């Protein structure tokens, strides 16, 4: 009888510990190329919504794009969501430097408050990565990349410094739980593909996807392509004075888009925080990144590769759209 009571107690204790662990906010660093497209705005909105719901803790937002609006745009959104003091970083390289053709970034920077008014006010990307990672428990941080691999390649190549005696690869292996990335493409029936986040800085993508030593989940082009969002957001009259709504309204109008923007970046954030099941299907595979930034399917199981059925895409679209309507508490 005593043994049965002990086993029951041990089981209940394990369930309590597991539940508490599941309820802990997931520590996240978001790496974005925000400006070239506006799905990044939706993705950062999702991350703030998850943070406000207690599902995520935003450690830093870092830009892999040197374009002049990136840091002020991040600052606008962090300020809007009542988190202006989240550390912000940016690459100090001159490229990638991808502009904002629809001018939505310039519009929200001019209209909304922000405390970082230029890229020079943000920390250098690799130094910020090293500082943040060194402070975290082992195997705890989820890194979400929704842009280029520029910063992560720099992190892997980094040397020991004042923040950590570990080099970049050692620091990643010790502190990072998983990498979730919006990247790569494999059209149905094909063994090769080419995707923007990879080919813009192909050498960086080659380095990261060959050398990264934690679990990697890829949300490819074909997943986000099926999830269209933004039209209900811009039609929601209850949302006023919102840089998120403004960005989508301006960009959708410029693009003459009446069905909603493809939600590539939002799918990566969603998968990182909410998990794969039941929202996505997945398979294990390996990819080689070619010099031109294309990717080729090769034998192996290094990556978890997300896929969507039509019914999953519809449900995911509804959930992402709802999260994109999230507004800060006032």
């Amino acid at each position: 009888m005593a043994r049965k009571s002990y086993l029951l107690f041990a089981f209940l204790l394990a369930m309590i510990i597991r539940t508490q662990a599941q309820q802990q906010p997931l520590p996240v660093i978001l790496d974005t190329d925000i400006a070239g497209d506006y799905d990044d705005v939706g993705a950062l909105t999702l991350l703030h919504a998850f943070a406000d719901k207690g599902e995520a803790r935003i450690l830093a937002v870092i830009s892999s794009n040197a374009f002049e609006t990136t840091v002020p745009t991040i600052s606008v959104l962090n300020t809007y969501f009542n988190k202006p003091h989240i550390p912000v970083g940016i690459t100090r390289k001159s490229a990638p430097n991808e502009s904002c053709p629809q001018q939505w970034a310039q519009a929200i920077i001019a209209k909304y408050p922000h405390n970082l008014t230029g890229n020079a006010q943000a920390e250098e990307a690799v130094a910020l990565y090293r500082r943040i990672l060194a402070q975290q428990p082992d195997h705890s941080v989820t890194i979400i990349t929704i842009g280029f691999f520029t910063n992560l390649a720099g992190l892997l190549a980094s040397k020991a410094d004042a923040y950590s005696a570990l080099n970049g690869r050692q620091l990643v292996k010790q502190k990072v739980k998983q990498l979730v990335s919006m990247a790569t493409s494999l059209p149905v029936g094909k063994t090769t593909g080419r995707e923007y986040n990879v080919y813009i800085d192909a050498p960086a993508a080659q380095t990261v996807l060959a050398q990264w030593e934690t679990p990697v989940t890829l949300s490819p082009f074909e997943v986000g392509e099926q999830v269209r969002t933004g039209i209900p957001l811009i039609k929601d009259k209850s949302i006023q004075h919102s840089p998120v709504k403004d960005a989508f309204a301006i960009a959708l109008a410029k693009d003459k888009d009446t069905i909603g923007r493809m939600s590539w970046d939002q799918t990566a954030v969603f998968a990182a925080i909410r998990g794969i099941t039941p929202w996505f299907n997945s398979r294990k595979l390996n990819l080689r990144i070619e010099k031109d930034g294309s990717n080729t399917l090769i034998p192996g199981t290094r990556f978890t590769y997300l896929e969507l059925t039509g019914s999953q895409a519809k449900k995911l679209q509804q959930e992402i759209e709802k999260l994109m309507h999230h507004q800060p508490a006032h």
Side-chain angles (χ1 to χ4, degrees), residues 37-39 227-229 248 252 257 259-264:
D37 204 344
Y38 50 103
D39 55 335
V227 181
R228 298 274 187 154
T229 57
F248 273 82
L252 288 168
D257 186 334
I259 61 173
R261 185 60 177 153
M262 288 175 273
S263 306
W264 296 291

Side-chain angles (χ1 to χ4, degrees), residues 142-161:
T142 291
I143 296 177
I144 308 172
T145 62
I146 55 173
F148 319 123
F149 289 92
T150 308
N151 296 328
L152 295 186
L155 172 61
L156 289 175
S158 65
K159 308 296 184 184
D161 58 11

Side-chain angles (χ1 to χ4, degrees), residues 207-225:
T207 295
V208 174
L209 293 181
Q211 296 183 7
W212 201 265
E213 295 183 81
T214 79
V216 176
T217 298
L218 299 173
S219 185
F221 178 91
E222 290 74 24
V223 165
E225 183 183 32

Side-chain angles (χ1 to χ4, degrees), residues 247-295:
F248 273 82
I250 292 166
L252 288 168
K254 290 282 181 70
D255 290 345
K256 298 180 180 179
D257 186 334
T258 60
I259 61 173
R261 185 60 177 153
M262 288 175 273
S263 306
W264 296 291
D265 294 346
Q266 294 97 315
T267 63
V269 171
F270 192 95
I273 308 302
R274 289 276 171 90
I276 295 174
T277 306
W279 307 101
F280 305 87
N281 295 334
S282 67
R283 57 176 166 142
K284 293 286 189 177
L285 51 71
N286 198 5
L287 296 169
R288 181 178 64 244
I289 307 301
E290 312 293 354
K291 289 184 178 180
D292 67 350
S294 61
N295 54 257

